[in-house]
Amino acid sequence: MQQPDILQYLGVRDGIAERIGGGELKAGERLPSERQLQVGGGVARGTVREALFQLEAEGLIYRKDRSGWYVSPPPVVYDPTRWEGFMSYVEAQGRRPATETLSKTEIACDGMLAQIFSRPVGAPMYWIRRRRSIDDRAVLIESIVVDASLAPGLIDHDLDGSLTSVLKSIYGIGVARNKVDMRPCALIRGEAEALRVKSGLPGLSVERTCYDAQGRVVEFDREYWRHDALKVSVDIRVR
Amino acid sequence: MQQPDILQYLGVRDGIAERIGGGELKAGERLPSERQLQVGGGVARGTVREALFQLEAEGLIYRKDRSGWYVSPPPVVYDPTRWEGFMSYVEAQGRRPATETLSKTEIACDGMLAQIFSRPVGAPMYWIRRRRSIDDRAVLIESIVVDASLAPGLIDHDLDGSLTSVLKSIYGIGVARNKVDMRPCALIRGEAEALRVKSGLPGLSVERTCYDAQGRVVEFDREYWRHDALKVSVDIRVR
DNA sequence: GGGCATATTTGGTCTATACCAATTCTGCGC
DNA sequence: GCGCAGAATTGGTATAGACCAAATATGCCC
């Protein structure tokens, strides 16, 4: 029946990719259900799913659990070296950003944080967890730790907006240097749950350590992005 | 039989992850075959594979096609802002780097390249494709374009070593600024084939545009890394 | 129109089986 | 020890069926 020179699921993939590339299916639109996609070619559901997994890995489509597969919107451009907030740069790209604060508590500095902040173990820190969305799709979970002695009462403020501007305008905290670590990761457990994605979805973990002009660590931030939501762009002088 | 409060494949995942974390299986070692992993828990092969896919996504294991599943080595740290070659920083991390030149040809500048290099369409360029490995595992494919007028005869040199040092020592080309774009991607088609990985494996695409002190583009470089091989670390002054 | 219980649809998980091609192992001849 | 043919093993692909829980659609009551 089918050509043996091309894998069947790659053939199905190409068919769907064409319908997306050709404009028949537009960003945000739902694909036909897996069972509907079978009937066209007399192919097993498992094979259709294999094709969908490919397209998901490529970032062309994404899923809403038990609701369906949807065409992905374009990624946003993110420059972690800029001291500019999510709300600001997402909006500048014509998208609609949103932030939810999942939790904010005061914690005691543990060994790892003590080392990062050069503060004694037990020193008070604020720990903030937020979920950020673009056009109503959750795209990242972030976990922020701020030295409480530098920003007393921080968590009493509304943190659903820009943490950047709160730190700057209320506490006069500016950032002079940034250490940024990035690595491909899988979204699992807590992160997957909070983003409502299947465990194992590829992601990008971005870890930022922010220093002020005096070289003190003012903020330690770890973000888990879904892989299809961003493009990182950095412009730097070579050392 | 099994707890319904935990997905079965996640249970299998945990079991294997423990054997890796506990040191029973060490980096580079082969896992038991899929069919052997079934017998332990009376579980279908599809379920075992689902567990292996999870671990692969997390970067804990990787596969060699039709040979087996292996425990992943740790990632290398990569700083794209440094004008330091792959051979050098990989070795500095106690690993064994290798480079193969897949192809090197002179091409004519097309529209896209013309824009990047600010050169006329048709201007001569060198196009180099290389595969780079760490400890005998292919980790990235790169595609480099260099302005031929700045480095005449470049492709007559041996490019299996450091392109960096060839450009610097022979042509006196230094880099002052770097524009780096990174995005999570899927390794498919040519890239997947060259890296001998299954189509759809998560990866990281790193695109570098290198400028000299006069602001001329001297090199345009696109790298496709397998997701489990690297960690990007950048240190920068905030703008 | 809104609220609500119900039926349907949808993707998520799991089983069992089959065949293939690439790789790896085995054993023989030398 | 080496080379080589054949056998066995391994992961990759594909099928068909089943059941579940979450999400969505339906239709009724008010």
Side-chain angles (χ1 to χ4, degrees), chain B residues 40-59:
Chain B
V43 67
R45 192 174 145 220
T47 306
V48 170
R49 280 172 70 77
E50 193 62 38
L52 293 169
F53 295 160
Q54 281 282 319
L55 292 163
E56 182 188 42
E58 295 172 41

Side-chain angles (χ1 to χ4, degrees), chain A residues 37-50:
Chain A
L37 288 168
Q38 299 185 236
V39 297
V43 67
R45 190 173 149 222
T47 305
V48 170
R49 280 173 71 76
E50 192 61 37

Side-chain angles (χ1 to χ4, degrees), chain A residues 56-72:
Chain A
E56 182 188 42
E58 294 172 41
L60 276 174
I61 63 174
Y62 68 99
R63 37 181 149 179
K64 288 191 211 164
D65 188 64
R66 265 162 266 256
S67 161
W69 295 86
Y70 296 80
V71 180
S72 297

Side-chain angles (χ1 to χ4, degrees), chain A residues 79 81 176 234-239, chain B residues 79-84 174-180 208-213 233-239:
Chain A
D79 185 346
T81 73
V234 186
D235 202 329
I236 26 194
R237 247 194 302 273
V238 171
R239 289 174 301 160
Chain B
D79 185 345
T81 72
R82 292 201 173 221
W83 184 243
E84 184 194 12
V175 166
R177 225 186 85 220
N178 247 336
K179 189 173 170 303
V180 181
R208 286 192 306 167
T209 315
C210 303
Y211 302 83
D212 66 6
S233 185
V234 187
D235 201 330
I236 24 189
R237 248 195 300 275
V238 171
R239 290 172 302 159

